[in-house]
Amino acid sequence: MTILIALVAIVFGLTGCESNYDQRKSGIISAKTLSSYIKNWKENRPKGVTGRLIVFQAGATSNGKFLQHNDSDVLVYQIPAGGACDPSYMRHDGISNIPGALLDGPHVDGMINMFGIDPEKDYVVFAVGEGSTTMREVVRSWWVLAYWGWPKERLAFLSGSVTYDFSKSSGLSQYLVDAPTPPLDPSQYTRYSMKTLDNLHPELQTYIAEMMEIASKDNKKGYFIADARGTDEYSAAKKSRTADMNCGPNHDEQCYSPMQGHIRDAVDFPYTDLLIMDDQKEDLNGDGVIDKKDASYQFRSPDELIRIYADKGYKPGDKIITYCRTGRKATVIGITAYAVLDYPVSMYDGSWIQWGEMADRVDVNGTQIVPTDSYLNLNKEQYTTVIKYIEPEYTQSAAPYEINLDATTSNKIIEEDEAYMQ
């Protein structure tokens, strides 16, 4: 295994030279790099970048601080901890709805116009206030822009939380202020669109029909399916829940996916394996205790990432298909593969919240979800390693998914997005 890891590192040219992110100018960057940008953007910005530095900070730090900004060429906007994630937002892929799906063209254009960011010039950084939970949500926002074609050299994500890296002990607290950049006056909006880039990346997204085809292959050569949820959900020791709370005897309790288990031959790959979650040094969150809640949540170094992927069984050249429950945790795997290691990667956007629904089962309302003889019946060994089923009383209703049993394609979203770019 040691020889294999060394060979992988040599192939990708990362061994011995990337023990941190200080030298990276985009993708995943360090607090040191971001600080240099904030200190003097015009002098320190990456070569070829002519626009402004736009930082999206998810939440404040534990002491209510924000990254420093001058509101001319360095702007820091506060965004919700969920970023561009909304479980109530659905898109239909042709087979079923996907809760919390990747944003469509009008929504992503609305997002960039809300903040007046220019897709042809500006450099965008996403930073989280604190915690891995916020990180896994906000990295989804990064993925949205990458999918819609924001150039990789002008798109970045801060490794670690602002709370940790810009604390007093880090020496970077001088780059924190009390308030973010004020919201734009709608009358001052300049209308931008991702259409100007004409650079959609449909290869970054996988939908259910393609996922079924890959799952059914007896020989997965060329593919590496990564389940980012966590070992307990992978093994069904922890039930995979849905967003709805209308199950149980009184229809007021948590609902769960009818199937519990994982996609056939998927690798147990918890997203937290890619983060540093045990390096706490001070009481950053102010709760009086120094514990794992005070960790940095930095990404593990590029060299470490190579070793982790190799240990999980990844082989150079394999296409990574990553999924989780709702497409958030999976994006942590996505960003490390795409922005750091340059591995071919795609996210199954429906993830388990869609896959686990496609079962020959009865839901909480007594409705048959998928007929036994339907090709969409995924509780078959060729598609799914089913470990247990949820009793109907607590099984998510099929109604919100609007399953089209006659569908022959799940590429509707890609087709819509490609049409929007015309």
Side-chain angles (χ1 to χ4, degrees):
M1 180 59 72
T2 301
I3 295 175
L4 173 61
I5 294 172
L7 287 173
V8 171
I10 291 170
V11 166
F12 288 95
L14 292 170
T15 184
C17 64
E18 290 222 85
S19 58
N20 58 49
Y21 293 93
D22 286 348
Q23 302 306 312
R24 288 189 169 251
K25 300 299 183 183
S26 61
I28 296 175
I29 62 173
S30 69
K32 180 179 178 181
T33 299
L34 183 54
S35 297
S36 73
Y37 290 167
I38 292 172
K39 182 179 180 180
N40 191 331
W41 172 241
K42 290 184 178 179
E43 184 69 26
N44 298 323
R45 62 190 175 187
K47 186 178 180 180
V49 176
T50 60
R52 301 163 300 168
L53 170 63
I54 310 291
V55 180
F56 290 115
Q57 184 174 325
T61 61
S62 57
N63 59 0
K65 298 291 186 178
F66 295 87
L67 292 166
Q68 182 178 303
H69 48 91
N70 59 25
D71 298 344
S72 57
D73 64 345
V74 177
L75 301 94
V76 176
Y77 292 111
Q78 183 181 16
I79 60 173
C85 302
D86 181 359
S88 66
Y89 172 74
M90 294 195 186
R91 297 186 71 183
H92 203 285
D93 65 6
I95 288 180
S96 82
N97 276 323
I98 298 174
L102 209 68
L103 296 182
D104 64 11
H107 277 87
V108 74
D109 278 354
M111 182 174 77
I112 65 174
N113 283 314
M114 181 182 298
F115 299 100
I117 53 178
D118 185 345
E120 295 186 284
K121 295 181 179 180
D122 292 337
Y123 179 104
V124 174
V125 180
F126 290 94
V128 299
E130 53 185 323
S132 68
T133 301
T134 302
M135 176 174 286
R136 76 190 189 206
E137 300 285 352
V138 176
V139 77
R140 175 85 169 182
S141 303
W142 188 100
W143 192 262
V144 167
L145 291 187
Y147 166 76
W148 278 100
W150 205 279
K152 291 175 73 172
E153 63 271 16
R154 290 193 285 109
L155 189 58
F157 197 95
L158 176 66
S159 178
S161 69
V162 174
T163 291
Y164 182 91
D165 286 314
F166 291 85
S167 64
K168 290 183 179 179
S169 63
S170 73
L172 300 176
S173 58
Q174 61 182 308
Y175 298 107
L176 291 173
V177 295
D178 291 330
T181 297
L184 280 181
D185 181 340
S187 66
Q188 297 177 354
Y189 286 2
T190 300
R191 308 313 295 179
Y192 295 112
S193 176
M194 298 299 286
K195 294 179 182 181
T196 61
L197 296 176
D198 192 20
N199 192 33
L200 188 73
H201 289 289
E203 73 278 6
L204 293 180
Q205 293 292 96
T206 293
Y207 290 95
I208 191 168
E210 182 182 359
M211 192 72 249
M212 290 170 62
E213 181 182 351
I214 295 169
S216 66
K217 292 179 182 292
D218 291 330
N219 185 345
K220 298 292 195 300
K221 185 177 181 180
Y223 293 98
F224 178 85
I225 307 173
D227 185 324
R229 292 176 297 169
T231 300
D232 285 348
E233 279 190 83
Y234 177 88
S235 65
K238 175 183 176 182
K239 292 183 289 189
S240 190
R241 60 184 175 81
T242 69
D244 288 344
M245 297 284 292
N246 52 19
C247 290
N250 300 315
H251 288 263
D252 59 358
E253 297 182 52
Q254 179 66 61
C255 296
Y256 299 93
S257 298
M259 289 192 294
Q260 302 289 317
H262 54 268
I263 295 175
R264 180 188 180 214
D265 294 333
V267 174
D268 180 20
F269 199 147
Y271 83 101
T272 51
D273 287 356
L274 303 175
L275 304 176
I276 300 172
M277 303 179 67
D278 58 358
D279 61 348
Q280 56 274 7
K281 297 177 182 178
E282 60 179 298
D283 180 20
L284 293 172
N285 64 359
D287 64 0
V289 180
I290 299 176
D291 57 18
K292 290 186 177 181
K293 294 180 180 178
D294 302 304
S296 69
Y297 301 104
Q298 292 173 332
F299 285 92
R300 296 197 177 277
S301 73
D303 286 345
E304 289 177 299
L305 294 180
I306 291 173
R307 289 193 290 271
I308 291 169
Y309 274 85
D311 285 345
K312 293 290 184 181
Y314 179 76
K315 296 180 177 58
D318 282 357
K319 182 177 182 179
I320 299 167
I321 310 292
T322 178
Y323 77 94
C324 55
R325 185 175 65 86
T326 59
R328 281 95 171 120
K329 298 174 183 178
T331 320
V332 177
I333 291 179
I335 192 174
T336 56
Y338 182 68
V340 181
L341 302 178
D342 202 26
Y343 293 167
V345 62
S346 183
M347 183 170 61
Y348 166 41
D349 204 28
S351 282
W352 193 261
I353 202 165
Q354 180 191 44
W355 189 273
E357 189 72 12
M358 301 295 173
D360 174 16
R361 305 291 292 172
V362 175
D363 71 12
V364 65
N365 298 317
T367 302
Q368 179 74 17
I369 300 174
V370 176
T372 303
D373 60 354
S374 172
Y375 82 101
L376 292 174
N377 174 12
L378 299 187
N379 51 315
K380 299 175 182 177
E381 291 183 358
Q382 72 191 91
Y383 298 122
T384 310
T385 299
V386 181
I387 298 173
K388 66 173 66 170
Y389 294 102
I390 297 298
E391 56 274 24
E393 190 174 45
Y394 288 92
T395 295
Q396 167 70 31
S397 168
Y401 293 86
E402 299 180 1
I403 299 171
N404 180 4
L405 297 172
D406 298 320
T408 57
T409 179
S410 63
N411 286 332
K412 181 181 176 183
I413 291 175
I414 295 292
E415 292 168 359
E416 289 175 352
D417 293 345
E418 288 178 336
Y420 184 77
M421 296 296 275
Q422 302 306 311

